[in-house]
Amino acid sequence: MSADHITLKNVHKKFESKEHNSTIALDDVTLTIKKGEFVSLLGPSGCGKSTLLNIIAGLEKETSGSLLVNNKEIKGPGNDRIVVFQESGLFPWMTVLENVMYGLLIKKVPKEEAKKQAMSWLQKVHLGKFAHSMPHELSGGMKQRVAIARALVMDPEILLMDEPFAALDEQTRMVLHKELEKLWHETGKTIIFVTHNIREAVVLSDRIVLMKTRPGGIKNIFPVQASRPRNSSDSILIHLENRILTELEQEMEKVLKEELGSDYALEKDRLRDDPHNNLGSDI
């Protein structure tokens, strides 16, 4: 890894409602991410993962604290930071190729050059023969591949991914894990990846940032020291899953106690049944 790429220092985010009530989404988040690093943000729903991602993207502004990318303050969105969301967000009236070309055309890249670059990326995500298909003709996994190609064709320094595989079946998700890891290795992009899925995080990441429940903050940071390519049955990964699960359960317990009050009863056996489930995603 090389120099610091992203630096968050004492980041605080408060949302004000029309009723003048306030919600603290993030409190005192300090984190440094190296250039080319793959970092996952993991934690229960409502812990501020997506808010933190949106602040890095420039879609939200921190209430206080500082955010630097390449030692420069972030004041809004930029082509150096592209987001891939859970829903692909493809334009349904455009072909796959036109969707991937769109951002380049907005940047005034000549049409033939934009087409050439878009086709190159579609081939990298194994969708070259679907270039002239419409989005409704694609499976969910194929749509997300198009979304990734559309992001990477813009050549961002940082790829921000907000639960991009959450709606996909397990088999499709495993295939896309391998493809994403290959693209990350080839491009050297810095990736920040939001997920509820513990196994997804340990298989993909260099480090996992476990976030605590509201007000959102960093509970722990876990380096993933298994070699690549990774096998989910690796004892190192299984041990790490269980460590993360133990700490995540503590945060889930806080959420359930707050929401259920006197009706609360944590079913530990149920929660421990499968450590690679989307733990906390339905809270």
Side-chain angles (χ1 to χ4, degrees):
M1 295 299 169
S2 54
D4 292 348
H5 198 184
I6 303 166
T7 304
L8 300 107
K9 187 173 182 180
N10 306 123
V11 169
H12 181 91
K13 179 64 179 179
K14 180 189 292 185
F15 290 105
E16 301 284 354
S17 69
K18 293 181 180 178
E19 293 76 23
H20 303 291
N21 296 322
S22 63
T23 300
I24 300 174
L26 295 170
D27 187 35
D28 196 28
V29 174
T30 296
L31 177 66
T32 299
I33 296 172
K34 301 287 187 182
K35 188 172 182 63
E37 194 172 15
F38 196 126
V39 174
S40 287
L41 306 179
L42 179 71
S45 291
C47 71
K49 302 184 298 295
S50 293
T51 298
L52 183 57
L53 196 81
N54 287 338
I55 288 173
I56 297 171
L59 302 174
E60 296 276 1
K61 176 66 177 173
E62 65 274 14
T63 305
S64 62
S66 65
L67 166 62
L68 303 177
V69 173
N70 294 325
N71 294 315
K72 295 179 181 178
E73 183 182 357
I74 292 303
K75 297 182 178 179
N79 289 331
D80 60 330
R81 289 156 286 126
I82 302 291
V83 185
V84 176
F85 295 100
Q86 182 173 337
E87 298 296 330
S88 64
L90 301 180
F91 298 125
W93 60 89
M94 292 184 180
T95 66
V96 166
L97 179 61
E98 290 168 341
N99 267 282
V100 179
M101 290 172 59
Y102 180 77
L104 294 175
L105 296 177
I106 293 296
K107 287 180 65 178
K108 307 298 184 184
V109 174
K111 187 173 182 179
E112 286 306 310
E113 177 60 24
K115 183 176 179 180
K116 179 181 177 182
Q117 292 185 35
M119 276 302 303
S120 175
W121 274 105
L122 284 173
Q123 289 165 355
K124 287 178 183 177
V125 298
H126 312 295
L127 287 176
K129 67 181 181 180
F130 293 93
H132 301 292
S133 299
M134 302 302 290
H136 73 267
E137 299 177 286
L138 306 182
S139 68
M142 293 164 73
K143 289 178 183 177
Q144 285 303 82
R145 286 187 199 162
V146 177
I148 292 169
R150 183 178 59 181
L152 289 175
V153 77
M154 302 299 291
D155 195 25
E157 293 184 22
I158 301 166
L159 187 62
L160 303 165
M161 309 188 78
D162 195 356
E163 299 193 68
F165 307 143
L168 305 178
D169 63 81
E170 187 66 19
Q171 290 78 14
T172 301
R173 185 192 296 243
M174 289 171 63
V175 170
L176 289 181
H177 286 170
K178 293 183 182 300
E179 292 194 1
L180 177 60
E181 186 175 17
K182 183 173 182 288
L183 290 171
W184 168 67
H185 180 74
E186 290 175 351
T187 62
K189 302 298 183 188
T190 302
I191 296 181
I192 303 177
F193 189 96
V194 169
T195 182
H196 281 106
N197 189 297
I198 300 174
R199 181 156 297 175
E200 182 169 71
V202 300
V203 166
L204 289 173
S205 311
D206 291 319
R207 286 189 298 155
I208 299 167
V209 177
L210 179 62
M211 297 185 67
K212 58 187 180 182
T213 190
R214 339 189 220 333
I218 297 175
K219 180 178 177 68
N220 206 344
I221 298 177
F222 297 89
V224 186
Q225 297 174 328
S227 61
R228 297 180 186 270
R230 290 179 179 156
N231 185 328
S232 60
S233 62
D234 187 327
S235 61
I236 294 174
L237 298 184
I238 293 171
H239 177 68
L240 181 58
E241 283 181 12
N242 288 323
R243 285 181 59 202
I244 295 171
L245 176 61
T246 298
E247 294 203 24
L248 184 53
E249 276 187 338
Q250 297 168 5
E251 297 307 306
M252 289 179 61
E253 188 170 358
K254 294 175 187 176
V255 175
L256 291 170
K257 282 183 175 178
E258 179 182 340
E259 293 185 354
L260 301 179
S262 59
D263 293 330
Y264 163 75
L266 182 64
E267 300 175 37
K268 286 189 179 293
D269 290 339
R270 177 178 60 83
L271 291 174
R272 286 188 174 275
D273 189 40
D274 188 352
H276 64 272
N277 276 341
N278 296 334
L279 197 56
S281 61
D282 299 321
I283 295 178

